[in-house]
Amino acid sequence: MMKMYFNTDIHFKFLFQNWSVDTDAVLFATCVAAIVLAVFMEATKRLTVFVGDYYYSLPLTAGAVLTNRDDVVTSDLKITDSLDFVKSQRVKNHVMQTIIHATRVAFGYLLMLAVMTYNTWIMVAVVGGSVLGYFIFCYGSVEGRLIGVSPSRTSTISSSVTTQITTDDSTEALLERRV
């Protein structure tokens, strides 16, 4: 019978009836499998951001915002792609995001079931793998993404004209800036 509290026993079934953990070597291999699965779970978070950046295409991009001596601000909005191309990119993005979400749900449930074996070593492997995956794949992705701040930079071309290039994540933000 399976114990309903955390323990360090060796003899237990892991996820499937045929996956029997009987020796230290099998326990070690099972912990490595749990670590790899947890790292892949964290990798899918980064993959979600990558796919979103790759497939998401704005139909409008902002040109240079010029400020001259008369304090007149002008902005050029350019249509970069056809509307059909933008729609197809957004459909591809949605399909890929759905596949990634299904993978994340499957990985998450497998990791939950792994921890529910109540084996201390498996739980440590899952938490350690998640921490390792976050350390590897989520470095640099936190900046600006969590709070929704878009990076902006300003450089001076000459003493009378300043160019500001701003990256926005939505067409609505570009249109609001135009008005």
Side-chain angles (χ1 to χ4, degrees):
M1 174 146 191
M2 187 172 125
K3 295 181 180 176
M4 298 305 287
Y5 52 88
F6 283 100
N7 60 73
T8 57
D9 293 348
I10 297 282
H11 301 285
F12 64 94
K13 301 283 185 188
F14 185 75
L15 296 182
F16 304 105
Q17 185 175 359
N18 294 335
W19 194 337
S20 181
V21 179
D22 299 349
T23 63
D24 289 339
V26 175
L27 178 63
F28 179 76
T30 303
C31 288
V32 169
I35 289 170
V36 168
L37 189 62
V39 167
F40 281 150
M41 174 78 171
E42 293 296 325
T44 58
K45 290 179 184 178
R46 184 65 174 178
L47 186 62
T48 301
V49 173
F50 174 76
V51 167
D53 289 346
Y54 181 77
Y55 282 112
Y56 186 72
S57 177
L58 292 175
L60 303 174
T61 58
V65 177
L66 299 176
T67 305
N68 60 17
R69 284 175 258 158
D70 299 330
D71 293 330
V72 176
V73 178
T74 61
S75 175
D76 296 328
L77 294 175
K78 302 177 213 171
I79 298 176
T80 58
D81 298 314
S82 70
L83 189 57
D84 291 334
F85 177 75
V86 171
K87 286 179 182 178
S88 70
Q89 288 295 88
R90 289 187 178 173
V91 167
K92 289 177 188 176
N93 179 35
H94 186 65
V95 168
M96 290 300 296
Q97 296 287 354
T98 301
I99 292 169
I100 293 169
H101 177 73
T103 304
R104 288 183 66 191
V105 168
F107 285 174
Y109 276 114
L110 286 173
L111 290 171
M112 178 195 66
L113 290 173
V115 171
M116 286 179 63
T117 61
Y118 292 107
N119 186 287
T120 305
W121 301 117
I122 299 296
M123 187 196 68
V124 168
V126 168
V127 171
S130 181
V131 169
L132 179 65
Y134 182 84
F135 180 77
I136 292 170
F137 294 108
C138 295
Y139 179 76
S141 67
V142 176
E143 182 180 322
R145 293 242 181 239
L146 292 178
I147 57 175
V149 175
S150 298
S152 163
R153 63 177 183 216
T154 304
S155 61
T156 303
I157 295 175
S158 67
S159 61
S160 63
V161 178
T162 303
T163 302
Q164 180 179 6
I165 301 169
T166 304
T167 306
D168 285 314
D169 291 338
S170 68
T171 305
E172 292 82 13
L174 289 171
L175 291 174
E176 285 174 10
R177 198 172 44 196
R178 174 77 169 150
V179 173

